[in-house]
């Protein structure tokens, strides 16, 4: 069984500041191992060529948005097992429903606190048996 510090996160957001914030919050929560991608296209390439355990993805991004990334991950046998936590600035009910239907492990709305992120990540990991 891997420990929290062994888990590798991929943070996907088109804003470098947001990626830094999420990375910092994960680190403070005991998950120091994270990489960053600026959109779904880059993220997908990284996921297919590297080893990751968890994806934290924004929804609104250029080139390939969070929903497109989620759908691609969930339809890829090699990546399907990855939990995807969706992050968005808009708390639209249809987005939350769509995220759940398409296989997202969870959903948080910006701005969020360290406690919110930590709690979501821990719940998702518990479900997966980590």
């Amino acid at each position: 069984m891997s420990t929290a510090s062994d888990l590798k996160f991929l943070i996907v957001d088109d804003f470098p500041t947001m990626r830094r914030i999420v990375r910092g919050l994960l680190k403070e929560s005991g998950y120091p191992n994270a990489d960053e991608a600026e959109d779904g296209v880059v993220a997908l390439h990284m996921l297919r060529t590297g080893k990751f355990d968890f994806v934290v993805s924004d929804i609104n991004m250029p080139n390939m948005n969070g929903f497109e990334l989620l759908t691609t991950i969930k339809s890829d046998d090699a990546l399907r097992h990855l939990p995807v936590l969706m992050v968005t600035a808009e708390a639209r009910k249809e987005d939350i429903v769509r995220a759940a239907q398409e296989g997202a492990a969870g959903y948080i709305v910006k701005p969020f606190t360290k406690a919110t992120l930590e709690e979501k990540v821990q719940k998702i990991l518990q479900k997966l048996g980590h």
Side-chain angles (χ1 to χ4, degrees), residues 8-62:
K8 184 142 187 210
F9 285 74
L10 181 59
I11 303 159
V12 191
D13 198 303
D14 53 329
F15 287 106
T17 306
M18 196 63 210
R19 292 196 305 267
R20 256 199 322 277
I21 290 168
V22 173
R23 188 179 203 150
L25 293 175
L26 285 170
K27 194 171 189 171
E28 286 173 33
S29 302
Y31 307 104
N33 202 351
D35 238 326
E36 301 175 20
E38 63 267 18
D39 64 36
V41 176
V42 175
L44 212 49
H45 176 72
M46 290 173 73
L47 290 169
R48 288 183 170 145
T49 57
K51 182 175 175 345
F52 292 91
D53 303 294
F54 203 111
V55 179
V56 179
S57 177
D58 187 25
I59 289 179
N60 299 317
M61 299 179 289

Side-chain angles (χ1 to χ4, degrees), residues 70-84 103 128:
L70 176 64
T71 304
T72 308
I73 288 171
K74 294 304 170 185
S75 61
D76 185 321
D77 288 339
L79 303 175
R80 166 180 295 152
H81 67 283
L82 288 171
V84 180
L128 295 170

